[in-house]
Amino acid sequence: MQAFLPRIEISLSQIQHNAQILSELYRQKGISLMGVTKATLGEPAIAAAMLQGGINFIADSRLENIQRMKDAGISAQFVLLRTALSQAELVIRTVDISLNTELETIKALSRYAKVQNKIHQIIIMVELGDLREGILPDDLAPFIHKVLGFPNIDIIGIGCNLACYGGIKPDAQNMDELSELATAMETEFQMNFTIVSGGNSANYEWYQSNQGTGRINNLRVGESILLGCETVYGRRIPRLYRHAFKLIAEVIEAKEKPSLPFGTICQDAFGNIPAFIDQGIQHRAIIALGRQDVLVSSLSAENDVEILGSSSDHIVLDSKDCDLKIGSEVRFNLDYGGILSAMTSPFIQKTMLVHF
Ligand SMILES: *Cc1c(COP(=O)(O)O)cnc(C)c1O
């Protein structure tokens, strides 16, 4: 039987290796990791590879993804990264730990936790400048004071998220502020945080610099495990695999054609008026893959071919000297946006490989 196309091939061994190297690295300074699966639609085999690499928390922003992993028999401490009021009942049913920033939502969690006879653990997110989720530092103490009045809610720690919306880099200053806040809240409320979660794949450089890590004892890491890089500069992390994901598509037309469209120029399929430079006759190939499947700008081909353009269901390539024929496979590496879109596409088959 022919392999299905398009397909995304995922090396579980490489993901497990990355998870292991990273968890050993971060453990050296007392930092545990949450493996973040949201870019993979909560693919259970990927969660399993992370767990085998020594990670003990699995974190995802979607309840559906966490449910999918649980249904597949993945056993871990699951963490919900994004909590919505309307889902409070389901949150309590599905996960033990969630990140939170709103009293109204925590109140609802408390109510359903009581009904379901559970203790729900929360990590309160603090705003340290990136301006996505978080409570402003000055509001943290009154916030905690109120949350302590809610039954069946256990505040297990605080956290912050940087380098997502505002592009703010984790550094000694904001990490120290998180540490100081943790200590101040513990003192004020006579409590003990088991988790101080300092960020995500953008925290690598901060970690590697020679400053101390203070009270930070956890990070939530997706991209570093999946793509072997940190995310402030996009630099690769030594000893990690960068291409655990490969997207493979099929050539459905291969012809010599002019590089310059002929006729009267109007709009392309997405309302843009394209401009072209005449490069004479080209070896052109069309692959059965398009914007409906993947973020095309995230693709980088393994062979020397150039992406000339794309529409919903077609990508046009300059195939140069690659000798692509009908039925040939073209292989691409992906960045984070590419993994996210390809893993979410119902048209792309997910193929798990257990070799490197
Ligand atoms: C997505 C996400 C992460 C993981 O980010 P990476 O850059 O993939 O490491 C961590 N924390 C939160 C709150 C997230 O939403």
Side-chain angles (χ1 to χ4, degrees):
M1 202 185 85
Q2 272 188 307
F4 190 93
L5 289 161
R7 67 179 183 276
I8 185 165
E9 288 182 355
I10 305 159
S11 168
L12 297 174
S13 318
Q14 292 186 10
I15 290 169
Q16 180 180 332
H17 170 93
N18 286 0
Q20 185 174 341
I21 299 284
L22 286 169
S23 52
E24 283 166 4
L25 172 77
Y26 283 112
R27 198 182 300 137
Q28 285 168 16
K29 296 187 201 167
I31 291 184
S32 69
L33 294 184
M34 297 177 178
V36 177
T37 47
K38 68 187 184 211
T40 72
L41 207 68
E43 170 56 53
I46 292 177
M50 289 179 175
L51 294 168
Q52 265 154 25
I55 283 172
N56 16 6
F57 297 93
I58 295 294
D60 203 291
S61 46
R62 313 261 170 174
L63 279 175
E64 294 87 340
N65 292 350
I66 292 175
Q67 191 60 52
R68 181 180 175 206
M69 293 184 270
K70 290 179 77 172
D71 290 346
I74 301 297
S75 142
Q77 295 199 72
F78 286 104
V79 180
L80 183 65
L81 295 171
R82 188 193 70 175
T83 311
L85 175 61
S86 68
Q87 295 187 316
E89 185 173 10
L90 210 52
V91 173
I92 299 299
R93 212 174 286 291
T94 315
V95 294
D96 298 324
I97 307 172
S98 61
L99 309 190
N100 283 278
T101 59
E102 288 289 353
L103 277 177
E104 211 180 325
T105 306
I106 300 170
K107 199 171 170 181
L109 292 172
S110 164
R111 191 165 64 240
Y112 289 113
K114 209 169 166 207
V115 171
Q116 294 178 36
N117 198 22
K118 286 181 172 169
I119 303 291
H120 186 71
Q121 302 173 341
I122 64 168
I123 296 170
I124 297 177
M125 298 298 278
V126 184
E127 176 59 68
L128 291 178
D130 197 57
L131 296 184
R132 204 179 71 179
E133 71 272 39
I135 294 157
L136 289 166
D138 285 348
D139 300 333
L140 186 59
F143 189 94
I144 290 179
H145 181 74
K146 292 200 184 85
V147 174
L148 287 172
F150 297 148
N152 298 59
I153 295 290
D154 181 13
I155 306 172
I156 59 166
I158 60 174
C160 77
N161 196 59
L162 296 169
C164 270
Y165 170 79
I168 298 300
K169 179 175 150 176
D171 59 17
Q173 198 178 332
N174 47 40
M175 288 300 105
D176 286 351
E177 188 175 357
L178 190 65
S179 287
E180 283 160 23
L181 280 168
T183 304
M185 294 306 115
E186 286 180 338
T187 309
E188 182 164 347
F189 297 103
Q190 297 290 306
M191 59 198 301
N192 188 20
F193 292 148
T194 52
I195 290 191
V196 181
S197 189
N200 51 42
S201 296
N203 282 61
Y204 177 77
E205 194 202 37
W206 160 79
Y207 180 79
Q208 291 291 67
S209 70
N210 284 323
Q211 289 123 358
T213 47
R215 292 288 313 275
I216 313 299
N217 66 4
N218 178 265
L219 293 173
R220 311 169 306 274
V221 175
E223 187 162 346
S224 291
I225 300 173
L226 302 175
L227 283 169
C229 63
E230 56 81 43
T231 54
V232 171
Y233 305 104
R235 290 185 191 138
R236 63 177 305 183
I237 297 175
R239 297 189 293 148
L240 300 192
Y241 290 100
R242 282 183 307 159
H243 303 308
F245 294 79
K246 302 271 185 194
L247 185 57
I248 301 143
E250 175 184 358
V251 174
I252 57 169
E253 182 185 300
K255 294 186 193 306
E256 296 205 340
K257 286 195 193 181
S259 47
L260 204 60
F262 37 85
T264 310
I265 296 260
C266 62
Q267 295 183 346
D268 69 11
F270 289 85
N272 308 304
I273 298 183
F276 296 93
I277 297 166
D278 192 353
Q279 296 177 314
I281 300 290
Q282 287 174 321
H283 294 286
R284 290 164 77 104
I286 298 175
I287 53 174
L289 186 75
R291 298 193 199 185
Q292 198 167 180
D293 304 291
V294 69
L295 181 67
V296 175
S297 60
S298 109
L299 300 175
S300 59
E302 279 189 349
N303 316 25
D304 183 25
V305 302
E306 186 190 341
I307 296 176
L308 296 171
S310 64
S311 55
S312 308
D313 310 290
H314 301 79
I315 294 177
V316 179
L317 302 175
D318 176 354
S319 54
K320 303 184 185 176
D321 299 323
C322 285
D323 192 30
L324 295 181
K325 298 185 173 65
I326 307 306
S328 292
E329 294 187 348
V330 184
R331 300 172 66 87
F332 297 93
N333 293 315
L334 300 157
D335 67 18
Y336 191 81
I339 293 175
L340 181 69
S341 52
M343 291 303 290
T344 312
S345 170
F347 302 106
I348 295 178
Q349 191 199 61
K350 286 77 185 176
T351 305
M352 305 300 154
L353 308 177
V354 286
H355 51 78
F356 282 87

